[in-house]
Amino acid sequence: MATPVSVFGPPLSTAVSRVLACLLEKDVPFQISPVNMAKKEHKSPEYLKIQPFGQVPAFQDESISLFESRAICRYVCEKHAEKGNKGLYGLDQLQKASIDQWIEAEGQSFNPPSTILGFQLIFAPRMNVPQDEKAIKESEEKLSKVLDVYEQRLEQSRYLAGDEFSLADLSHLPNIHYLVNLTDRAELFTSRKNVERWWNEISGRESWKEVVEMQKQGSS
């Protein structure tokens, strides 16, 4: 029996939860290796051997070590092409290219403003860090413009890269989950008909529901 892959980091991390959702979609056995970030375990020499930037997640598959959640997800999909959701990363070059372009859009256009917004609205108050109103306003404006593009795209297709759920959609789950459920900015998504329909579909997948349960256990 194959040794389960190891994912280092807490499920509450957006990047870690992205990897976990992918592994669940692909039916790949895994184990979560806790990293106590409060004790700076992610900066220890041992951890830096597998994640040189001292961040989460880190990923191990027998002798292979990887970092950066989107790269890990691509690796999992390529290695386990015949397992679980076979079309998660496309079934031909054109599908893969379409998925890749929307993963790039997520990483470069969607992730920066949504991450800043999430930090300022959710985590800054918990950390007793003063909120930066300028950063909140600018990030909300940038995110709105990105979601306007998504709204148009999702009027033409069920999902971002076509008519099948893919890694492109999955990559958006962590940040949207926090903004919709833990801030008062859910309207950014729910006020756009196609974006709202898309969010309801992708967040209703069993793989993501399981990740959310892991997050609840991790915060209890």
Side-chain angles (χ1 to χ4, degrees):
M1 189 173 177
T3 304
V5 300
S6 293
V7 181
F8 294 80
L12 286 167
S13 155
T14 53
V16 171
S17 65
R18 180 178 292 114
V19 172
L20 297 179
C22 178
L23 290 165
L24 288 165
E25 282 282 339
K26 294 299 293 180
D27 290 336
V28 175
F30 64 88
Q31 59 187 18
I32 298 174
S33 297
V35 177
N36 190 325
M37 301 182 78
K39 293 183 178 179
K40 299 202 179 296
E41 289 180 359
H42 57 305
K43 301 297 183 182
S44 69
E46 186 177 351
Y47 186 77
L48 290 172
K49 290 177 183 177
I50 57 174
Q51 219 300 8
F53 294 99
Q55 299 172 343
V56 294
F59 175 89
Q60 283 191 317
D61 182 6
E62 297 181 346
S63 62
I64 296 170
S65 296
L66 294 171
F67 61 91
E68 211 295 311
S69 62
R70 296 166 190 83
I72 294 168
C73 288
R74 288 184 175 103
Y75 167 81
V76 168
C77 289
E78 293 278 18
K79 179 175 179 179
H80 301 282
E82 297 305 313
K83 294 190 74 171
N85 183 344
K86 295 181 176 62
L88 190 62
Y89 190 36
L91 298 173
D92 58 41
Q93 288 183 326
L94 182 58
Q95 288 179 3
K96 278 187 170 64
S98 181
I99 292 167
D100 274 334
Q101 71 181 358
W102 286 102
I103 293 175
E104 289 296 317
E106 182 270 323
Q108 296 181 26
S109 299
F110 176 87
N111 189 65
S114 62
T115 296
I116 292 171
L117 207 53
F119 175 79
Q120 290 294 334
L121 296 175
I122 303 167
F123 299 103
R126 297 180 183 182
M127 298 164 65
N128 292 319
V129 174
Q131 289 179 310
D132 185 334
E133 294 299 332
K134 182 182 177 183
I136 291 172
K137 184 174 183 292
E138 289 178 351
S139 297
E140 191 168 353
E141 289 173 353
K142 289 177 182 177
L143 185 56
S144 291
K145 290 178 181 178
V146 174
L147 292 174
D148 284 342
V149 174
Y150 283 23
E151 178 70 8
Q152 292 179 356
R153 170 59 179 168
L154 293 165
E155 189 171 0
Q156 300 165 357
S157 66
R158 184 175 176 185
Y159 299 102
L160 287 174
D163 290 327
E164 300 294 333
F165 176 80
S166 76
L167 208 49
D169 308 293
L170 182 151
S171 289
H172 289 79
L173 282 163
N175 281 18
I176 303 180
H177 173 77
Y178 278 138
L179 291 176
V180 167
N181 294 291
L182 297 179
T183 78
D184 59 0
R185 299 303 201 277
E187 193 174 296
L188 283 164
F189 304 91
T190 59
S191 65
R192 293 168 169 84
K193 181 182 70 174
N194 297 305
V195 170
E196 180 183 37
R197 183 265 308 157
W198 168 70
W199 166 245
N200 288 336
E201 284 198 44
I202 67 174
S203 62
R205 294 185 71 85
E206 290 304 315
S207 58
W208 184 247
K209 288 180 182 178
E210 196 167 334
V211 172
V212 172
E213 282 304 311
M214 291 182 204
Q215 292 179 333
K216 289 177 181 176
Q217 293 168 13
S219 62
S220 60

